[in-house]
Amino acid sequence: MEKLISIILFYLFAFLPATAQSARQVLDKTAAVVANKSGAKASFVMKGGNMNTSGTIAIKGRMFQATTPQATIWFDGKTQWTYVKQNDEVNVANPSDTELQAINPYTFIYMYKNGYKSTMVKRGTSYEVHLTATDKKRNIQEMYIVVNAKSYAPSQVRLLRKSGWTTIDISNFKKTSLADGQFRFNAKEFPHAEVIDLR
């Protein structure tokens, strides 16, 4: 009987690491889905503080284009163009990582590897990963990332900044093939816009 129990326990613990996933492993898979080489698109709703907007986002690696009723933002990995519809002007800048975190809901795919400790719970068909900053000077102190357990696509990101919590609900996530030119401002499409270079 003892031998039988030993065999059962051996197989139970031998296969446990293969089936149980850590928060880091889930985020590694999510990052691979989000940052695929060809690109991806999604819709989002962002709420928190004085911000309440919705729109679409296209991403490819570190590049992104976000469109809301108020503005369109292009980022090619170095330069950011922000077209403000109300003023018909384009601000050009080289944003810091902190500035990018405020506008791109997918920056977590680069943040979680350094400076955060993580825990995870399974809720229905999703994983919920909780990240906590190990440095109190970090702009984002806490983050919750809800990930589909089958597709590893994120469905919600909640961020805690000094100004409070921001919630970003993500829907219609799909992989697609995107050209690099989509992530740069095209002056021909906005011939009357005033360009303000802040670099």
Side-chain angles (χ1 to χ4, degrees):
M1 185 69 173
E2 286 182 14
K3 188 174 182 181
L4 180 62
I5 292 172
S6 296
I7 292 170
I8 291 170
L9 288 174
F10 169 78
Y11 280 104
L12 179 65
F13 288 105
F15 290 106
L16 187 61
T19 56
Q21 293 190 85
S22 68
R24 175 67 182 261
Q25 288 171 321
V26 167
L27 290 183
D28 284 345
K29 290 179 181 179
T30 302
V33 168
V34 171
N36 73 86
K37 292 180 181 179
S38 60
K41 287 185 174 182
S43 301
F44 69 88
V45 176
M46 187 181 295
K47 295 178 181 178
N50 297 324
M51 192 180 304
N52 188 346
T53 191
S54 61
T56 59
I57 187 166
I59 51 175
K60 186 178 181 182
R62 293 187 71 88
M63 302 184 290
F64 72 90
Q65 177 198 12
T67 303
T68 71
Q70 299 83 17
T72 301
I73 302 168
W74 298 263
F75 179 68
D76 68 358
K78 179 184 178 184
T79 303
Q80 176 181 299
W81 297 264
T82 304
Y83 173 68
V84 182
K85 295 179 183 179
Q86 184 179 359
N87 303 334
D88 197 24
E89 67 180 32
V90 180
N91 294 310
V92 187
N94 291 334
S96 66
D97 287 342
T98 300
E99 290 167 331
L100 287 172
Q101 289 166 12
I103 54 175
N104 183 357
Y106 291 111
T107 50
F108 75 85
I109 66 172
Y110 303 106
M111 294 169 51
Y112 73 94
K113 294 181 180 180
N114 295 302
Y116 289 89
K117 59 182 181 179
S118 59
T119 59
M120 183 179 70
V121 294
K122 181 96 184 289
R123 298 190 189 283
T125 59
S126 299
Y127 295 115
E128 184 179 80
V129 178
H130 181 205
L131 298 177
T132 308
T134 55
D135 182 353
K136 295 296 181 186
K137 294 179 182 178
R138 284 256 180 176
N139 183 47
I140 296 176
Q141 282 297 305
E142 280 187 76
M143 193 181 314
Y144 287 92
I145 303 150
V146 180
V147 176
N148 184 287
K150 287 186 178 180
S151 67
Y152 290 95
S155 60
Q156 188 183 74
V157 179
R158 300 194 306 275
L159 313 167
L160 177 61
R161 300 189 181 95
K162 291 179 182 177
S163 58
W165 285 95
T166 299
T167 300
I168 306 160
D169 290 306
I170 303 163
S171 59
N172 304 318
F173 181 91
K174 61 180 179 180
K175 294 181 183 180
T176 187
S177 184
L178 301 171
D180 289 357
Q182 181 170 339
F183 304 99
R184 299 185 192 98
F185 172 71
N186 184 348
K188 292 179 181 178
E189 295 179 5
F190 304 87
H192 304 295
E194 180 185 1
V195 178
I196 302 170
D197 199 328
L198 303 174
R199 290 173 292 184

